[in-house]
Amino acid sequence: MPYPHSAPLGAGPIGQQAMTVLYQHRLVSTLQMHRLLTPHHTRAEYVRRQLHLLRESGLVGVVGRRVHGQTDLLWWLTEKGATAVEAVGLLPQRPYRMSPEAAAGPLQEHTLATVQTGLAFVEWARRLGHECGPLDWSPENAHYYRDENRPGEDLSLIPDAVLNYVHTESRQRTLLTYFIEVDRAQMTVARLAQKLHAYARYHQYIPQPAARAARRASKAPAWRSRYPAFPRVLLVLTGASVSRLERRIADLRSLAAADPVLATTAVRAGVTTLDQLSGEGPFAPIFTPVLGPADHTDAWLRPSTAAA
């Protein structure tokens, strides 16, 4: 990684890559970092040593977390580390900064689950010969729109992550973009349905130009300025028993079917569990469509014949 100076106080290329991963994803465990950056090593010792070197240099911070009776270390960039990454200019600048309080706070598990979701795509891309790397998803990018039922009010849609994935088959390469929502069974199913409603509204939203520019204005939806095709929406559930997650999926489908905006939307949305995503991969039939027949499908989320 081309830092403006030599590797920070003894950190090698993996340590420098770890800094960019922490800048992008805010909070990452040692094991997650190992699986993202050094999967060719059987153990996480190398990446752990690099992270400790960065800590000694004041570039990263660490907090412990007890998991199944063992201590798991979670890493984030200090202000000094974030400044070093920004000086390189390889990543879009992000305004947030992690702190010891935030790293140990209530958003810890959600942040780690989002990283685990991205990690599942990375690991399956390796197995399948596709392309998805440690920086190919970006957390919490705001998308602004207006709802006709709330005139004059700017609303924001903030996916947990926007993930890019290149699916390759023979000579065919297809860029797939996903809006990722991670649900740890902490919010109501009604709130999840409201998020889906927001995606449908964003899909429909066409910015209204000033009157003077109205004649020249495009009637294209706002999302077309950011994406060649509207991203598929993937809801990834975790944090509860299999039976409880299955009930949440069924309840979510019922609420979505009762929403007239969602019922007429062209948005493709599917729901699965993090365990299924990690264990079977995104291109196994692990997704239940939010709308239409409950036939399992893969991350292409192709409309079924019955729904078409």
Side-chain angles (χ1 to χ4, degrees):
M1 197 64 65
Y3 276 76
H5 309 293
S6 60
L9 298 180
I14 294 298
Q16 296 177 40
Q17 291 176 40
M19 290 178 65
T20 63
V21 168
L22 292 175
Y23 186 85
Q24 180 98 322
H25 303 309
R26 300 179 295 181
L27 188 69
V28 182
S29 74
T30 305
L31 181 58
Q32 287 174 335
M33 192 71 77
H34 164 57
R35 290 166 62 185
L36 285 170
L37 299 182
T38 57
H40 47 286
H41 290 272
T42 56
R43 300 179 61 189
E45 284 305 312
Y46 180 73
V47 76
R48 183 180 290 111
R49 288 197 301 270
Q50 292 295 304
L51 288 164
H52 279 293
L53 281 172
L54 295 173
R55 183 190 182 193
E56 292 169 4
S57 303
L59 296 165
V60 306
V62 65
V63 65
R65 178 184 69 149
R66 296 291 290 177
V67 180
H68 305 305
Q70 296 183 335
T71 299
D72 189 21
L73 296 182
L74 312 179
W75 305 86
W76 75 91
L77 281 188
T78 63
E79 181 69 33
K80 179 180 177 182
T83 299
V85 173
E86 289 174 350
V88 181
L90 294 179
L91 297 177
Q93 289 200 11
R94 300 188 176 279
Y96 54 70
R97 292 289 187 266
M98 187 57 71
S99 66
E101 294 77 18
L107 290 179
Q108 178 192 94
E109 292 299 328
H110 188 272
T111 304
L112 293 173
T114 303
V115 174
Q116 197 69 19
T117 299
L119 173 61
F121 278 90
V122 170
E123 292 188 324
W124 278 96
R126 290 174 185 150
R127 297 183 196 185
L128 298 172
H130 301 167
E131 295 178 20
C132 184
L135 301 178
D136 279 332
W137 75 95
S138 179
E140 298 187 351
N141 288 326
H143 300 68
Y144 297 99
Y145 70 102
R146 286 190 174 183
D147 190 324
E148 61 186 19
N149 296 321
R150 300 164 72 175
E153 182 180 353
D154 288 325
L155 303 175
S156 61
L157 171 66
I158 306 177
D160 288 327
V162 178
L163 184 141
N164 293 311
Y165 188 104
V166 178
H167 184 283
T168 61
E169 188 171 357
S170 300
R171 297 183 179 180
Q172 180 70 36
R173 292 167 53 84
T174 306
L175 173 62
L176 299 170
T177 302
Y178 296 102
F179 288 137
I180 305 290
E181 291 289 345
V182 177
D183 170 54
R184 296 189 58 255
Q186 301 294 305
M187 68 175 69
T188 65
V189 177
R191 175 69 184 119
L192 270 182
Q194 288 171 5
K195 285 193 169 189
L196 285 171
H197 180 93
Y199 281 108
R201 285 298 190 193
Y202 177 63
H203 180 270
Q204 297 172 346
Y205 173 57
I206 299 174
Q208 297 301 311
R212 190 168 49 182
R215 290 184 180 179
R216 302 190 306 272
S218 168
K219 297 299 183 181
W223 62 263
R224 288 196 178 276
S225 66
R226 302 180 69 159
Y227 305 106
F230 195 82
R232 296 159 171 82
V233 181
L234 302 182
L235 296 98
V236 181
L237 310 189
T238 186
S241 66
V242 172
S243 60
R244 184 181 173 196
L245 296 182
E246 289 175 347
R247 291 195 298 271
R248 286 177 74 81
I249 292 172
D251 292 345
L252 179 63
R253 281 175 44 82
S254 295
L255 289 174
D259 185 328
V261 175
L262 278 171
T264 58
T265 186
V267 173
R268 301 188 201 178
V271 56
T272 189
T273 69
L274 183 53
D275 283 347
Q276 287 178 299
L277 181 63
S278 299
E280 301 180 51
F283 296 98
I286 62 169
F287 290 94
T288 302
V290 171
L291 296 167
D295 303 330
H296 287 177
T297 185
D298 60 19
W300 285 96
L301 298 182
R302 296 180 177 92
S304 69
T305 303

